[in-house]
């Protein structure tokens, strides 16, 4: 035991507590036929909680954690603290990048040795423990070797290094029985078109992804491969702009049945969408996988990764997730970090507890919307005309512009506009949040 969280006792569900406790997140409560824990499938993000130093563009580290540094002893101390927090929170999952958990070595081989040693250290801790791995991923954006991209780097040696890195991270995810493997292309994009061959970069990224899928099947990894779209930051423009763009890319490389989406609230906002839009799009395309739960500052235009605390927004998000059939291998990863002034260990716990409660309220609101059925019913009624055989036939190919022109000529009145009733629907949502 470390003494990092000293004085903090395991968090319990206690709705009447005036102290630190879950007031809405009750893992065992059954909602829509499933335990709340199984609906939400919370995961702690190793990078934000244990590796982020609290810097911003004008100032460095504020957190000064005792495990900061580049040695194996410190990496083990970090793991000890992380698993203590998982236990305190009783959280079912966690997620990592290779670079969050191991010190960088002087060569690929040394970094890999460090990584594998920590993976085994995790394995021993996970043996018989509650917390499992939701996903692993490779950090191919922080080190200077990746400054011009990983799979889209103009230098084939960096492409090869990236392939070796994904192989190692996929092996480790498989070894720890991870449920998914994530690819987020932080620098898969460009800073200026003046030095960029976009056609080649897209092709290279497509081939890279195909190799990742081939490798997954080769080693028998049963989890899902997930891509996390984001339009920009750190690159000026990122190829995985949003769900719809990624889908087009997957189609072009024959991967649309192999890869699903990990959708992040803040990234949706950066792309000029709402979180619900991205979730709904993934549902429509049949590629919904998992979520990175956070909240952007709506004024400042960065990926600020606040903890999600806005219940009405979360209710609409979980409504989309439930409409997509809920999570299978995916879950709710707290891809969120403390504000840099939130220095105390208790802040780390409070952030997760507060957000878990907000998410539980959002989920419960979404369940009520589903069970009430009026929202869904309204949309079904709105499109009911397409169920009539003569209209269904149009979409099956049994019609043409000429046939439809003939039909319209034969009508003796124009189609009458029908109210979309937006204010009624918005008021309906407010009954449940
Ligand atoms: C950054 C991303 C990153 C991914 C994993 O904006 O959200 O944290 O989730 O590489
Ligand atoms: Ni993310
Ligand atoms: Ni992000």
């Amino acid at each position: 035991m470390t003494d990092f969280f000293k004085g903090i006792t395991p968090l319990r569900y206690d709705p009447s507590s005036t102290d630190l406790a879950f007031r809405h997140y009750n893992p065992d409560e059954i909602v829509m036929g499933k335990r709340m824990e199984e609906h939400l499938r919370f995961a702690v993000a190793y990078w934000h909680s244990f590796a982020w130093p609290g810097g911003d563009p004008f100032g460095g580290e504020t957190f000064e954690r005792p495990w900061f540094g580049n040695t194996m002893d410190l990496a083990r101390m970090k793991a000890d603290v992380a698993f203590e927090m998982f236990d305190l929170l009783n959280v079912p999952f966690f997620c990592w990048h290779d670079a969050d958990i191991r010190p960088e070595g002087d060569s690929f081989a040394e970094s890999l040795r460090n990584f594998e040693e920590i993976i085994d250290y995790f394995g021993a801790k996970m043996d018989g423990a509650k917390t499992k791995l939701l996903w692993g991923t490779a950090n191919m954006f922080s080190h200077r070797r990746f400054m011009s991209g990983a799979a889209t780097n103009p230098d084939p040696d960096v492409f090869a290094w990236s392939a070796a890195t994904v192989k190692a991270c996929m092996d480790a995810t498989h070894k720890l029985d991870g449920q998914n493997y994530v690819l987020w292309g932080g620098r898969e994009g460009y800073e200026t078109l003046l030095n960029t061959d976009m056609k080649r970069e897209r092709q290279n990224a497509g081939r890279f992804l195909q190799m990742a899928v081939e490798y997954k099947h080769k080693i028998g990894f049963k989890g899902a491969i997930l891509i996390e779209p984001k339009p920009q930051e750190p690159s000026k423009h990122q190829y995985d702009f949003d769900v719809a763009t990624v889908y087009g890319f997957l189609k072009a490389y024959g991967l649309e049945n192999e890869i699903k989406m990990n959708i992040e609230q803040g990234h949706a906002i950066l792309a000029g969408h709402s979180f619900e839009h991205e979730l709904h799009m993934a549902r429509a395309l049949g590629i919904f996988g998992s979520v990175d739960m956070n909240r952007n500052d709506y004024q400042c235009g960065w990926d600020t990764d606040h903890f999600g605390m806005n219940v009405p927004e979360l209710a609409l998000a979980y409504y989309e997730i439930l409409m997509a059939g809920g999570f299978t291998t995916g879950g709710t990863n707290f891809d969120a970090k403390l504000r840099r002034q939130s220095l105390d260990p208790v802040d780390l716990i409070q952030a997760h507890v507060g957000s878990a409660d907000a998410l539980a309220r959002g989920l419960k609101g979404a369940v009520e919307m589903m069970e009430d059925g009026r929202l869904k019913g309204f949309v079904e009624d709105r499109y009911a005309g397409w169920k009539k055989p003569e209209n269904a036939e149009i979409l099956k190919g049994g019609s043409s512009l000429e046939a439809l022109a003939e039909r319209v000529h034969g009508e003796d009145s124009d189609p009458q506009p029908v109210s979309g009733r937006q204010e009624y629907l918005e008021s309906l949502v407010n009954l449940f949040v």
Side-chain angles (χ1 to χ4, degrees):
M1 275 292 271
T2 71
D3 63 1
F4 186 70
F5 290 115
K6 71 174 172 301
I8 302 176
T9 50
L11 276 295
R12 303 270 175 246
Y13 170 64
D14 179 359
S16 59
S17 172
T18 51
D19 211 356
L20 191 54
F22 294 111
R23 297 197 193 85
H24 300 275
Y25 175 56
N26 178 9
D28 293 320
E29 187 177 329
I30 305 288
V31 284
M32 251 176 80
K34 249 198 330 206
R35 291 175 61 244
M36 208 187 267
E37 182 178 272
E38 288 157 30
H39 271 289
L40 291 163
R41 292 167 63 85
F42 287 138
V44 169
Y46 213 90
W47 51 103
H48 285 315
S49 289
F50 308 110
W52 187 61
D56 71 11
F58 294 89
E61 182 174 320
T62 56
F63 289 148
E64 299 185 335
R65 305 298 193 212
W67 57 85
F68 282 176
N70 207 40
T71 69
M72 284 300 283
D73 278 345
L74 291 172
R76 274 186 289 267
M77 187 203 290
K78 176 161 52 171
D80 294 343
V81 171
F83 277 82
E84 283 165 20
M85 188 169 96
F86 304 159
D87 283 348
L88 286 173
L89 292 172
N90 191 35
V91 69
F93 296 104
F94 74 117
C95 305
W96 47 252
H97 302 82
D98 52 352
D100 311 327
I101 66 175
R102 57 103 176 99
E104 180 90 27
D106 288 333
S107 62
F108 186 88
E110 190 188 343
S111 294
L112 183 61
R113 265 197 310 280
N114 292 345
F115 179 56
E116 287 176 341
E117 219 175 298
I118 294 293
I119 290 295
D120 288 342
Y121 195 66
F122 282 2
K125 285 179 178 294
M126 288 164 74
D127 205 17
K130 176 194 176 95
T131 307
K132 299 186 171 64
L133 181 63
L134 186 66
W135 46 264
T137 189
N139 177 329
M140 302 195 295
F141 43 87
S142 294
H143 195 280
R144 62 195 291 278
R145 83 173 65 85
F146 299 117
M147 71 176 191
S148 314
T152 62
N153 199 295
D155 182 351
D157 289 343
V158 178
F159 183 99
W161 186 293
S162 308
T165 303
V166 166
K167 177 185 177 296
C169 289
M170 220 187 261
D171 285 339
T173 301
H174 188 37
K175 188 167 196 187
L176 294 181
D177 213 10
Q179 311 255 317
N180 308 273
Y181 184 80
V182 165
L183 293 142
W184 169 61
R187 296 191 193 273
E188 311 293 25
Y190 64 80
E191 288 301 315
T192 170
L193 285 173
L194 297 175
N195 65 14
T196 302
D197 178 347
M198 211 179 326
K199 183 172 179 188
R200 174 178 286 283
E201 293 203 358
R202 259 177 71 88
Q203 281 169 349
N204 291 4
R207 184 59 202 133
F208 191 95
L209 221 49
Q210 287 170 342
M211 289 195 291
V213 169
E214 284 159 19
Y215 189 66
K216 163 195 152 150
H217 290 302
K218 195 167 202 176
I219 62 175
F221 175 60
K222 295 280 172 281
I225 296 192
L226 306 173
I227 286 186
E228 186 176 321
K230 187 176 182 181
Q232 73 271 329
E233 198 211 346
S235 301
K236 173 194 153 53
H237 176 92
Q238 284 168 209
Y239 299 134
D240 295 341
F241 196 93
D242 61 2
V243 170
T245 309
V246 174
Y247 185 72
F249 182 79
L250 294 178
K251 276 282 224 193
Y253 292 92
L255 296 170
E256 71 273 21
N257 298 319
E258 295 284 355
I259 295 184
K260 294 195 168 122
M261 295 297 111
N262 183 39
I263 301 171
E264 177 161 327
Q265 196 271 5
H267 300 183
I269 305 305
L270 287 180
H273 301 308
S274 64
F275 190 29
E276 308 89 89
H277 167 98
E278 288 291 81
L279 295 165
H280 193 119
M281 183 63 85
R283 161 157 79 90
L285 296 170
I287 52 172
F288 171 68
S290 197
V291 299
D292 268 8
M293 195 60 244
N294 53 30
R295 172 176 49 114
N296 258 15
D297 181 307
Y298 292 122
Q299 282 80 46
C300 89
W302 302 335
D303 190 18
T304 57
D305 294 337
H306 286 62
F307 276 84
M309 296 282 183
N310 185 323
V311 176
E313 283 182 2
L314 296 172
L316 288 174
Y318 277 87
Y319 183 70
E320 287 298 335
I321 293 169
L322 292 175
M323 290 289 279
F327 295 121
T328 51
T329 62
T332 305
N333 172 39
F334 291 106
D335 194 354
K337 61 185 177 221
L338 294 174
R339 296 308 92 189
R340 71 196 292 269
Q341 299 176 54
S342 301
L343 297 179
D344 297 341
V346 71
D347 291 318
L348 207 44
I349 303 290
Q350 174 69 69
H352 286 89
V353 171
S355 190
D357 271 345
L359 285 152
R361 285 181 64 191
L363 172 71
K364 286 197 241 180
V367 165
E368 285 181 39
M369 288 184 223
M370 292 284 281
E371 286 174 345
D372 173 83
R374 273 177 288 177
L375 281 171
K376 191 161 175 266
F378 186 89
V379 176
E380 273 166 17
D381 289 349
R382 194 155 181 251
Y383 295 88
W386 289 101
K387 291 209 179 109
K388 290 194 189 142
E390 68 270 30
N391 296 329
E393 199 48 39
I394 301 174
L395 302 180
K396 287 193 208 129
S399 193
S400 63
L401 287 190
E402 306 93 286
L404 292 175
E406 207 170 298
R407 160 169 153 178
V408 171
H409 285 307
E411 305 277 327
D412 44 11
S413 61
D414 286 357
Q416 289 306 300
V418 175
S419 173
R421 303 202 65 197
Q422 182 165 338
E423 296 74 14
Y424 158 70
L425 295 166
E426 288 172 349
S427 311
L428 193 54
V429 167
N430 281 339
L431 297 179
F432 305 112
V433 294

